[in-house]
Amino acid sequence: MAIGGMSQRRMAVAGLAFLLLYALWLAWPYLAAIVVRDAAVTTWVSVAAAPVGGYTTQPLYPGARVGANGRIATVSDEQADQRELARARAELVHATAAANAQQQLADGLRNGIEAREKHATGYAATFGQDLDSAIAGTKASLVSLRQRLKLAQAEADRLAKLRGSGLASQSALDTTHASVAALEQQIAEADATLARASKRQRASGSGVFLLEDGNNGNTTFQNLADAKLRLVQVEALLTQYAAEREAAQGVLDAAQKAYDKSRSLDILVPAGAMVWSLISGPGAAVQPGSPIASWVDCSVLLVDAPVSDVEMSLLHSGSPADVVIEGERKSRRGSVMLTRGSAGTLGLHDLAAVAKGRRPGLGQVIVKLDATADDIRNCPIGHAAYVDFPDVGIPQIIRGRLRL
């Protein structure tokens, strides 16, 4: 019985020891994290690439802060291709010459139209004055002819009475009748002349100038109208040439900017960022898209904490975390921002620093901290840290592993 009891005690002790060893194995990453500060202060890392080909000049070195102008480096190329710029300049010269020539043509037409308008105005005034004089003269002639006709008719009546008394000859009476007929014909011609002149005068008021022989006298005004139409056409073409000149100027400006960028172009990042690494040194040849330098934003403070997959499964976004950074005595309260399983942890391509406790088989928790003014100034990226998750302890880890 004693032997059997001893054997049972040994088995119980052995089972207890195995259970303790198993629990220690489960909790060892958690205990190791307490003893060794295996987490690391980190942040996102960004890479500044060359927008154009050339050579790296005046880069900022690791640890330097980017100034207010945002320049982290400059890409220069003194042998930049100028063909597009020269072509744009030639197009602008051609467009400017065409526009200037058309402008001179338009100015000449305006001056010619101004002279023709003066000539047409003088012609119209002279034409009207001539008609006024002709109408006045015809009216005066009619008055004189009618008076003469009245006298001739009176003479004819007197001779007719005398002829009846035998005191006048028939020939004298016939001569007087001939004079009356001639005067009546002259009055009829004068009336016709006055009617034509009055009609021409009315027509001139509406811009139709008829000559005395009935021909068209609007040649001066037709030439003026043709010149004005020509000016409209020239001005339309001038507008087109001016638009082409402006377009050529725009192309030249764009070509000049492209050339300036190809010769020397600053690579810009947010002001206040810290240069994390210099990938392309001064004088190094780069192609468009080549990485020049990496930089970090010290106002975004993260902690990379390696944890077991079991502990990570007990955490979620927003879970509280207590963080103690190496060199500090007080803990900070942060929150879980991101969790990654051991098969897909973030590395140096995404983070500026990774935890020194990172090894295969461990998951990853990214904790977000609120950066202070000292943090932004000193930028403690890469410092070791200890992270404790108040909601997750050894009992929760064991239960999670045993699925209790």
Side-chain angles (χ1 to χ4, degrees):
M1 294 296 296
I3 295 175
M6 181 62 69
S7 176
Q8 290 179 355
R9 285 197 297 272
R10 287 180 178 178
M11 291 179 63
V13 170
L16 181 60
F18 177 77
L19 183 60
L20 290 175
L21 289 174
Y22 183 70
L24 181 62
W25 177 72
L26 293 177
W28 177 250
Y30 179 79
L31 297 174
I34 297 176
V35 178
V36 180
R37 297 186 175 184
D38 56 351
V41 181
T42 187
T43 190
W44 306 115
V45 65
S46 301
V47 176
V52 295
Y55 301 89
T56 304
T57 59
Q58 300 177 345
L60 298 181
Y61 289 89
R65 292 297 181 97
V66 177
N69 59 2
R71 192 192 69 84
I72 194 171
T74 301
V75 177
S76 301
D77 185 8
E78 297 298 330
Q79 304 300 323
D81 190 356
Q82 301 185 39
R83 287 177 295 180
E84 290 298 328
L85 181 60
R87 187 178 295 109
R89 286 174 176 169
E91 290 294 335
L92 178 60
V93 170
H94 176 74
T96 301
N100 290 341
Q102 196 70 10
Q103 183 66 58
Q104 292 177 358
L105 179 59
D107 293 340
L109 281 174
R110 291 191 189 97
N111 294 333
I113 289 173
E114 183 179 354
R116 290 188 180 188
E117 284 179 340
K118 292 180 179 178
H119 177 70
T121 301
Y123 176 83
T126 303
F127 190 88
Q129 291 172 1
D130 288 345
L131 285 177
D132 291 341
S133 299
I135 291 172
T138 303
K139 288 180 178 180
S141 296
L142 281 172
V143 172
S144 176
L145 288 172
R146 288 190 177 98
Q147 289 177 352
R148 290 171 59 192
L149 177 61
K150 185 178 181 180
L151 293 175
Q153 287 177 342
E155 180 65 18
D157 292 341
R158 186 179 66 82
L159 288 177
K161 290 178 181 181
L162 291 176
R163 176 73 180 87
S165 302
L167 298 177
S169 65
Q170 184 63 39
S171 62
L173 180 60
D174 292 338
T175 301
T176 303
H177 284 160
S179 298
V180 170
L183 289 172
E184 288 177 346
Q185 182 180 0
Q186 291 178 11
I187 289 174
E189 291 176 353
D191 283 334
T193 301
L194 179 61
R196 288 197 302 272
S198 299
K199 183 178 180 181
R200 291 168 59 201
Q201 188 181 50
R202 289 192 299 271
S204 66
S206 59
V208 178
F209 297 89
L210 296 175
L211 300 179
E212 189 173 358
D213 57 2
N215 292 326
N216 186 2
N218 291 336
T219 303
T220 300
F221 297 94
Q222 290 175 350
N223 292 338
L224 177 60
D226 292 341
K228 288 183 177 180
L229 177 60
R230 175 61 177 162
L231 178 60
V232 171
Q233 296 172 342
V234 169
E235 287 180 339
L237 194 56
L238 175 61
T239 302
Q240 177 183 341
Y241 286 165
E244 292 177 355
R245 179 178 58 191
E246 292 179 1
Q249 183 65 57
V251 172
L252 176 59
D253 294 341
Q256 185 67 53
K257 289 181 180 179
Y259 175 71
D260 293 340
K261 288 181 179 180
S262 65
R263 285 195 60 195
S264 179
L265 183 65
D266 292 337
I267 302 175
L268 304 179
V269 300
M274 174 183 282
V275 181
W276 191 245
S277 65
L278 182 60
I279 302 172
S280 177
V286 294
Q287 296 298 323
S290 300
I292 299 297
S294 62
W295 57 274
V296 295
D297 184 357
C298 297
S299 65
V300 180
L301 205 60
L302 308 175
V303 178
D304 175 26
V307 298
S308 65
D309 284 336
V310 176
E311 184 178 4
M312 187 202 67
S313 66
L314 300 174
L315 298 171
H316 56 81
S317 179
S319 295
D322 293 327
V323 180
V324 179
I325 299 177
E326 190 71 46
E328 297 182 355
R329 296 183 179 180
K330 295 182 179 180
S331 65
R332 305 188 188 194
R333 175 54 62 96
S335 61
V336 175
M337 187 181 71
L338 177 69
T339 60
R340 285 289 186 96
S342 59
T345 57
L346 300 175
L348 293 176
H349 289 293
D350 303 296
L351 299 174
V354 296
K356 62 182 180 181
R358 172 80 45 226
R359 66 177 185 274
L362 290 181
Q364 183 180 50
V365 175
I366 302 297
V367 177
K368 177 72 169 63
L369 295 177
D370 293 331
T372 64
D374 289 338
D375 293 334
I376 297 174
R377 182 173 58 255
N378 299 323
C379 205
I381 297 173
H383 290 196
Y386 161 67
V387 180
D388 177 50
F389 302 100
D391 294 343
V392 179
I394 293 178
Q396 288 82 5
I397 295 176
I398 295 175
R399 285 199 302 270
R401 176 58 64 90
L402 297 177
R403 295 180 176 83
L404 297 176

